[in-house]
Amino acid sequence: MLVLLGFAMIAVFMVLIMTKKLTPVLALIIVPTVFGLFAGAGLGIGDMVMDSMKSMTSTAALLMFAIIYFGLMIDVGLFDPLVRFILRKLGNDPAKVVLGTALLAAAVSLDGDGSTTFILTTAAMLPIYLRLKMSPVVLTCVAGLANGTMNIVPWGGPTARAASALKIDVNEVFVPMIPSLVAGLAVVLVFAWILGLQERNRLRATQPEIWGTPETAEGFDGGTPAGSGRTGRGGSGRGSAPVPAKGGPAVGGSPEGSSVAVLERTEILVDDTDTAMADTALDPNRKTLRPKLQWFNLALTVAVMGMLVADLVPLPYVFMVGSAIALLVNFPHVKDQGAQLIAHAPSIVAVVSMVMAAAVLTGVLKGTGMVEAMSAWLVQIIPSSMGPLMAVITGVLSIPMTFFMSNDAFYFGVLPVLSETAAHYGISAAEMARASITGQPFHMQSPLVPAILLLVSLAKVDLGDHHKKVLWRSAVVALVMLGVGMLTGAIGIH
């Protein structure tokens, strides 16, 4: 009964958010509550949720002050040079922009922290997506794929958990999986390029007066969009893009023809519903700019990132102190400090509310025993004849199981049981650990992962829309990583 209730609860939750019948916050609260009561939790469901919420408080604090810190850095103009550099390199071609998003997210993911990756990627790329009228869902999809694939690096978390749970060296798990990591990233880049081409075609179809048609447009080859009437330097117009004026039709590229000049125009479309992040990143004349403090803010950010990597003190405290220093130096007046906090309140509320609501789902899953029942059932249904395939089976199971439960629950609760069973068939613990991390591209899209909630909140994307675009692609990436692991012998069949 618990197994059925567990899978049914997750299925109902996914259907409700993907069909937009409920917002993710409401679905995270209402669905587990109903199923928890059916499971016999009774009044004890409150204690289950509160116990789970206690473990979420540090995560909520981390995300809250990380949003404040990086939002402040965006407001004062720290990332403006990065945005201009990307614009110069990518021009106005949606295919190149999406590919650049994937490369940027993968590179930043090397720090092993999903929240930082998504904040920096969104800060740099969202203004470009909005300026070119591209879909932010594509941004969240590509960033989620890249970060999920890179999440198997030893300092990312899952690999260390798997090694710890099975008492083996972390390098023994990760090094043989490097070919799988490379293959996974290659698939992500292919997906990114295809999504970029689809965006290019969508823009041509929906805005032919700006971008032209597939037969006539020359706007996506690094030149000026069709109908702009300008060609820029030497007639090439390289890097220029249409900048629609507020309340009016699109206009052509800047007289100079450079993307830097485009970014510095004041005739930029900023919808009132856009996030504060997108607004400030697009407006080069905002009052919050602090050009004289550019080097101080850069040094402070490097110091914060250094503390993040060194892991000397808890990360929430690092961002608390960093935010306090940044506010004090950049905005010495109390009134301005309060205005900055208020400016980022919508993003903070959106993220923290989902993190707290996720505690209801995890609390019910664990408190009612659903997680243990689902895990035991999956182990039991594996026939003995498939024993030699236990490593491959573990890799396949890691895709849905790490989506429906936390990494801790899977790696410390399920993996040791699977590994002990596999040992009877001569399958080493290292092989089982390697197979278990291949599901991470799919895991990172779970609503139980705070970082992905941060990503969709910053990009102002519906979680259901994100899942529609990313889930099947992340499953493909995970299966490719598993397949390459089998081909290289890192994951064997005995």
Side-chain angles (χ1 to χ4, degrees):
M1 180 61 72
L2 286 176
V3 174
L4 290 175
L5 285 174
F7 283 114
M9 178 175 70
I10 292 166
V12 170
F13 168 77
M14 294 299 298
V15 170
L16 287 175
I17 66 169
M18 292 184 73
T19 57
K20 298 185 179 179
K21 300 296 183 183
L22 286 178
T23 64
V25 172
L26 291 183
L28 284 167
I29 296 171
I30 295 173
V31 174
T33 298
V34 172
F35 278 87
L37 293 175
F38 270 111
L43 295 178
I45 193 170
D47 292 331
M48 296 176 189
V49 172
M50 294 310 296
D51 288 340
S52 177
M53 195 172 292
K54 290 176 183 176
S55 64
M56 297 281 197
T57 53
S58 62
T59 299
L62 168 63
L63 297 182
M64 174 179 174
F65 285 97
I67 290 173
I68 292 174
Y69 182 83
F70 285 105
L72 178 63
M73 288 298 111
I74 292 165
D75 287 349
V76 299
L78 177 63
F79 299 110
D80 284 18
L82 175 62
V83 173
R84 295 188 183 105
F85 173 79
I86 293 174
L87 281 169
R88 285 198 297 268
K89 295 298 180 182
L90 298 181
N92 65 334
D93 186 347
K96 293 180 182 178
V97 169
V98 179
L99 187 63
T101 303
L103 292 171
L104 177 62
V108 181
S109 294
L110 285 170
D111 75 345
D113 182 74
S115 299
T116 302
T117 297
F118 294 146
I119 289 172
L120 292 177
T121 302
T122 307
M125 302 307 298
L126 184 59
I128 301 171
Y129 278 72
L130 296 176
R131 188 173 70 88
L132 298 181
K133 293 290 189 175
M134 295 171 61
S135 171
V137 181
V138 175
L139 186 157
T140 64
C141 175
V142 171
L145 288 174
N147 181 254
T149 304
M150 291 295 294
N151 203 38
I152 72 167
V153 294
W155 51 91
T159 302
R161 285 183 177 91
S164 299
L166 301 184
K167 297 178 175 59
I168 54 180
D169 184 78
V170 69
N171 288 329
E172 191 178 354
V173 180
F174 174 69
V175 174
M177 290 297 291
I178 291 178
S180 292
L181 175 60
V182 173
L185 286 176
V187 175
V188 170
L189 294 179
V190 170
F191 277 140
W193 183 252
I194 293 173
L195 285 167
L197 293 178
Q198 291 173 350
E199 278 297 279
R200 176 195 289 179
N201 293 332
R202 183 184 66 82
L203 289 172
R204 283 174 173 167
T206 58
Q207 302 178 59
E209 72 282 359
I210 300 176
W211 299 110
T213 64
E215 292 78 19
T216 63
E218 297 179 355
F220 294 121
D221 61 356
T224 306
S228 70
R230 298 178 191 254
T231 56
R233 268 190 207 114
S236 68
R238 186 167 184 79
S240 63
V243 183
K246 225 172 189 179
V251 297
S254 64
E256 293 81 9
S258 69
S259 54
V260 178
V262 169
L263 188 66
E264 292 179 347
R265 297 185 56 144
T266 58
E267 308 157 321
I268 296 175
L269 177 66
V270 180
D271 190 276
D272 290 336
T273 61
D274 285 342
T275 61
M277 172 179 287
D279 185 18
T280 56
L282 280 169
D283 185 2
N285 300 313
R286 56 191 184 273
K287 296 179 180 179
T288 56
L289 282 175
R290 298 293 185 270
K292 294 182 179 180
L293 294 172
Q294 183 83 2
W295 289 108
F296 170 81
N297 290 321
L298 178 61
L300 179 61
T301 301
V302 170
V304 169
M305 293 295 99
M307 292 296 291
L308 186 150
V309 174
D311 197 20
L312 298 176
V313 295
L315 293 186
Y317 182 63
V318 172
F319 280 106
M320 284 181 182
V321 175
S323 299
I325 295 174
L327 274 171
L328 184 62
V329 174
N330 288 277
F331 301 93
H333 300 295
V334 174
K335 183 179 179 180
D336 293 334
Q337 294 170 4
Q340 277 298 301
L341 293 175
I342 292 173
H344 300 288
S347 295
I348 294 170
V349 171
V351 174
V352 174
S353 63
M354 276 200 282
V355 171
M356 294 292 100
V360 181
L361 180 59
T362 56
V364 170
L365 278 171
K366 183 178 180 180
T368 59
M370 289 183 188
V371 168
E372 291 80 3
M374 293 162 68
S375 303
W377 178 77
L378 286 171
V379 172
Q380 290 174 2
I381 65 172
I382 300 174
S384 58
S385 60
M386 299 184 69
L389 297 172
M390 279 299 295
V392 178
I393 292 172
T394 298
V396 174
L397 287 178
S398 72
I399 297 175
M401 292 189 76
T402 57
F403 184 85
F404 298 141
M405 62 181 68
S406 68
N407 273 339
D408 287 334
F410 178 74
Y411 288 108
F412 294 113
V414 179
L415 181 59
V417 177
L418 293 173
S419 183
E420 186 175 346
T421 304
H424 295 294
Y425 300 94
I427 302 175
S428 68
E431 290 180 81
M432 293 295 290
R434 294 168 198 149
S436 71
I437 64 176
T438 57
Q440 285 305 302
F442 201 81
H443 160 77
M444 279 302 299
Q445 318 312 319
S446 171
L448 301 180
V449 177
I452 207 67
L453 301 181
L454 177 67
L455 173 64
V456 297
S457 295
L458 292 178
K460 219 164 191 180
V461 166
D462 184 83
L463 184 61
D465 291 339
H466 172 74
H467 279 163
K468 286 178 185 178
K469 193 171 288 288
V470 79
L471 286 184
W472 73 266
R473 290 180 171 88
S474 59
V476 170
V477 175
L479 290 173
V480 167
M481 293 175 69
L482 178 61
V484 172
M486 294 168 60
L487 290 175
T488 59
I491 302 170
I493 299 177
H494 294 257

